[in-house]
Amino acid sequence: GFGLVADDVGMVYRRGAQETLALADCNLNVGRGQWASLIGASGCGKSTLLRIFADIVHPTCGTATLHGLTPAEARANRTFALVSQQSTMLPWRKILENVELGLEVAGVGKSERRRAAMEAIELVGLMGFEHVYPNELSGGMRQRAAIARALTLRPQFLLMDEPFGALDEITREKLNFELLRILRETSATLLLVTHSISEAIILSDQVAVMTPRPGRISKIVDIGFGHE
Ligand code: ADP
Ligand code: ADP
């Protein structure tokens, strides 16, 4: 059971009497070290699938595993890190202290935390900005800091939900290549949710296409990006 596997996953959101079928018979298999993008129309269930892997919501049926672990087990083992569209930075803490946050929560000691945070800050190209506050940086730089925070955990899986979705087209394009460079340095398995086909093609080995509601992976295109 290596890689990221969704096996006949179904998801129904219930809110009072209202039921929304978000995913039906969804199957996905991303091999260890592969980079996969998930594309599809808005509302088809992309974020839902990612949030199932990240143990934020539980599937109504089927199973999701990360190297054979359930999402809850994977979370306990810090097997994955999540980067979302609006990653939260604590405004009263400097970038360095924000990047350290993941390791701090994990109970890692101060000197080791600092060393790992500085390494990640360098990797995302934010050297020199470690002592500024998040709101002193551009949105793109804040997202890079969020990626740095995720990388400090040395996750086996990076789950990214529109990591640059809130940014303008040009900034986005620039950061995509930046992200590609950064991810080359890690051996993480990646699942990227995006609404941009070009982003998916630029960044991945494999593009999974989800059908309109209810989401089901209808096609997997191997791009063979060959990042090895
Ligand atoms: P995508 O990421 O592809 O835009 P989502 O996974 O966000 O799609 O949403 C899939 C479907 O589930 C949509 O119909 C959406 O309205 C619904 N949905 C998403 N989150 C919730 C929620 N927390 N409660 C109820 N319905 C939700
Ligand atoms: P990004 O492409 O990361 O969103 P911008 O396009 O907003 O960044 O900014 C371009 C460059 O300007 C950044 O890479 C950075 O070197 C510099 N910059 C942006 N914001 C600041 C700031 N608050 N202080 C110093 N330099 C900044």
Side-chain angles (χ1 to χ4, degrees):
F2 286 109
L4 196 67
V5 180
D7 194 9
D8 284 336
V9 166
M11 178 71 192
V12 178
Y13 287 104
R14 291 197 175 84
R15 205 186 277 149
Q18 172 121 3
E19 291 196 348
T20 308
L21 178 58
L23 293 174
D25 306 321
C26 187
N27 290 285
L28 179 68
N29 194 331
V30 182
R32 186 207 280 265
Q34 289 275 298
W35 300 347
S37 291
L38 185 55
I39 63 171
S42 183
C44 71
K46 303 182 294 296
S47 295
T48 297
L49 184 59
L50 198 87
R51 288 162 57 196
I52 286 170
F53 283 120
D55 196 38
I56 296 169
V57 294
H58 302 289
T60 314
C61 58
T63 55
T65 54
L66 305 92
H67 287 343
L69 303 177
T70 65
E73 290 166 342
R75 184 156 64 122
N77 289 346
R78 295 193 294 279
T79 302
F80 65 80
L82 178 70
V83 178
S84 53
Q85 178 168 344
Q86 293 285 10
S87 292
T88 41
M89 290 274 136
L90 300 177
W92 59 87
R93 300 185 81 173
K94 294 173 178 172
I95 291 299
L96 177 60
E97 297 159 349
N98 267 290
V99 172
E100 279 182 29
L101 204 62
L103 291 174
E104 198 175 321
V105 170
V108 173
K110 182 145 188 154
S111 62
E112 170 57 20
R113 226 157 65 203
R114 190 128 300 192
R115 197 197 53 71
M118 287 306 293
E119 193 180 301
I121 283 171
E122 183 165 13
L123 196 59
V124 302
L126 285 180
M127 277 310 255
F129 295 97
E130 56 273 26
H131 297 301
V132 307
Y133 290 93
N135 61 12
E136 296 178 80
L137 293 182
S138 67
M141 294 168 91
R142 268 202 300 277
Q143 280 304 90
R144 279 193 270 161
I147 292 168
R149 184 174 54 196
L151 294 177
T152 60
L153 298 167
R154 300 194 173 285
Q156 292 175 47
F157 296 90
L158 270 172
L159 306 175
M160 306 189 124
D161 194 350
E162 294 278 7
F164 305 128
L167 306 175
D168 67 84
E169 197 86 12
I170 292 169
T171 306
R172 232 181 129 109
E173 197 154 304
K174 196 174 110 203
L175 289 187
N176 280 333
F177 288 104
E178 194 68 17
L179 182 62
L180 193 62
R181 183 185 63 78
I182 295 164
L183 294 177
R184 275 190 174 141
E185 308 270 321
T186 76
S187 51
T189 304
L190 172 76
L191 183 62
L192 171 76
V193 165
T194 177
H195 64 254
S196 161
I197 293 176
S198 62
E199 190 165 298
I201 289 173
I202 289 166
L203 289 174
S204 41
D205 298 307
Q206 182 180 308
V207 178
V209 184
M210 198 174 259
T211 58
R213 271 189 257 175
R216 180 182 290 129
I217 308 287
S218 65
K219 201 172 184 76
I220 295 188
V221 184
D222 264 305
I223 298 187
F225 189 84
H227 60 268
E228 293 301 339

